[in-house]
């Protein structure tokens, strides 16, 4: 199959557990090309494990994951890298490297063995750096970047990969408010352009603002999925986070506040 065919991801009875604890039980999910799906839940409920499983980095224990009706585990890592990209929650740099060399790692799936990147590849990398406000940083050593700058570089790297499905584990980590908005607007536009965005978020208000659907993971096997209007309710969110969440009206919108 060509890359263009891989736009729909399906989870059929997908379960995720750690030792004897079932975190997610029998998830039924079909992504819609062009949607932004936010994953919400407290720490330790399996949001990262779910994203790693969707990326094919963790074997499915129960259930299966399909890409356009083809099993995800039947594809090679390079084939998958042309279809989907995972941005993990943490990025570590063990050796010196420039910002530009690091962003170009995202082009590796597109470059044949023993070949160098083309002018087009380099232009894709430059465009990605511009999209995350890192123009002028190309020759900086990644070890000299702040936490927020390094996070934006990780985002630029997966933009350079140009997948159809973006799997983002807390993409706004370490970012100041303006860059949080810029990043989520950027991926919202990617969704408008037909890409699929699946992102774990801790900010309920950001999920309400930018997502088309929300997947709530409770950590005891339970889950809920639906539009923000349907699932972002005070009672469900209070149950989800084990703390009182109240809903306030502000500028004709609903604002969610943890009151304890």
């Amino acid at each position: 199959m060509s890359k263009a065919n891989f736009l729909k991801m399906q989870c059929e009875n997908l379960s995720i557990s750690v030792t004897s604890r079932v975190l997610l039980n029998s998830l039924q999910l079909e992504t819609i090309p062009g949607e932004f799906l936010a994953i919400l839940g407290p720490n330790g409920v399996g949001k990262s494990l779910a994203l790693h499983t969707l990326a094919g980095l963790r074997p499915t224990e129960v259930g299966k994951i399909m890409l356009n009706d083809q099993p995800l585990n039947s594809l090679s890592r390079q084939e998958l890298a042309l279809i989907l990209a995972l941005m993990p929650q943490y990025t570590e740099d063990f050796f010196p490297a420039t910002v530009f060399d690091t962003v170009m790692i995202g082009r590796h799936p597109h470059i044949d063995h023993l070949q160098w990147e083309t002018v087009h590849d380099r232009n894709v990398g430059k465009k990605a750096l511009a999209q995350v406000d890192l123009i002028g940083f190309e020759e900086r050593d990644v070890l000299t970047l702040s936490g927020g700058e390094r996070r934006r570089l990780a985002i630029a790297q997966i933009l350079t990969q140009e997948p159809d499905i973006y799997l983002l584990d807390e993409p706004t980590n370490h970012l100041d408010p303006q860059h949080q908005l810029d990043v989520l607007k950027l991926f919202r536009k990617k969704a408008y352009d037909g890409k699929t965005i699946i992102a774990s978020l801790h900010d309920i208000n950001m999920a309400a603002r930018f997502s088309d659907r929300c997947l709530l993971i409770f950590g005891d096997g339970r889950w809920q999925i639906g539009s923000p209007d349907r699932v972002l309710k005070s009672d469900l969110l209070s149950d989800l986070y084990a703390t009182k969440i109240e809903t306030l009206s502000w500028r004709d919108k609903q604002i969610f506040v943890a009151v304890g």
Side-chain angles (χ1 to χ4, degrees), residues 9-23:
M9 175 179 281
Q10 301 155 295
C11 298
E12 300 178 8
N13 296 314
L14 180 66
S15 295
I16 296 174
S17 61
V18 175
T19 60
S20 60
R21 180 186 172 194
V22 178
L23 300 172

Side-chain angles (χ1 to χ4, degrees), residues 31-253:
T31 64
I32 302 167
E35 81 166 331
F36 191 126
L37 173 68
I39 302 178
L40 297 175
N43 295 332
V45 298
K47 300 187 300 296
S48 295
L49 289 178
L51 288 170
H52 288 193
T53 303
L54 294 179
L57 298 178
R58 187 175 186 272
T60 54
E61 301 159 12
V62 178
K64 56 186 177 180
I65 302 170
M66 312 289 286
L67 291 171
N68 275 19
D69 302 316
Q70 183 168 344
L72 180 144
N73 60 12
S74 70
L75 301 171
S76 70
R77 290 312 310 174
Q78 183 170 8
E79 288 175 315
L80 280 176
L82 292 170
I83 299 162
L84 57 83
L86 170 70
M87 186 177 74
Q89 191 174 144
Y90 303 106
T91 304
E92 294 187 75
D93 299 297
F94 297 102
F95 303 103
T98 68
V99 165
F100 192 71
D101 286 343
T102 302
V103 81
M104 290 304 294
I105 292 172
R107 295 305 295 171
H108 286 183
H110 301 268
I111 300 172
D112 290 335
H113 297 301
L114 304 179
Q115 289 190 341
W116 294 100
E117 64 266 15
T118 65
V119 171
H120 170 72
D121 293 319
R122 295 178 67 83
N123 286 338
V124 171
K126 291 175 183 177
K127 179 182 177 181
L129 290 176
Q131 289 176 304
V132 298
D133 195 24
L134 286 178
I135 285 295
F137 285 68
E138 291 87 345
E139 298 307 315
R140 279 273 299 273
D141 189 327
V142 293
L143 299 178
T144 70
L145 299 179
S146 71
E149 290 166 344
R150 185 62 184 88
R151 194 61 172 163
R152 282 150 50 203
L153 177 56
I155 293 165
Q157 186 175 310
I158 65 164
L159 291 174
T160 304
Q161 194 171 332
E162 296 189 313
D164 291 315
I165 300 173
Y166 290 85
L167 305 173
L168 312 173
D169 198 352
E170 299 185 22
T172 56
N173 265 7
H174 304 299
L175 300 185
D176 58 59
Q178 185 58 60
H179 283 112
Q180 289 182 26
L181 288 170
D182 289 345
V183 163
L184 291 176
K185 287 177 181 177
L186 174 61
F187 284 110
R188 179 66 263 179
K189 184 178 185 304
K190 288 287 182 185
Y192 286 142
D193 292 340
K195 306 298 184 180
T196 299
I197 314 299
I198 304 176
S200 67
L201 299 173
H202 274 305
D203 191 321
I204 303 168
N205 293 300
M206 290 293 195
R209 177 174 176 179
F210 289 101
S211 71
D212 299 295
R213 288 193 295 168
C214 297
L215 170 63
L216 312 185
I217 300 180
F218 291 82
D220 57 4
R222 292 180 298 144
W223 53 275
Q224 289 271 355
I225 190 167
S227 66
D229 289 344
R230 189 171 74 83
V231 299
L232 298 185
K233 302 292 187 181
S234 291
D235 55 346
L236 265 179
L237 293 171
S238 298
D239 183 16
L240 179 70
Y241 290 105
T243 193
K244 180 66 175 176
I245 307 288
E246 290 190 356
T247 306
L248 307 176
S249 295
W250 180 75
R251 294 186 178 180
D252 298 323
K253 297 182 184 298

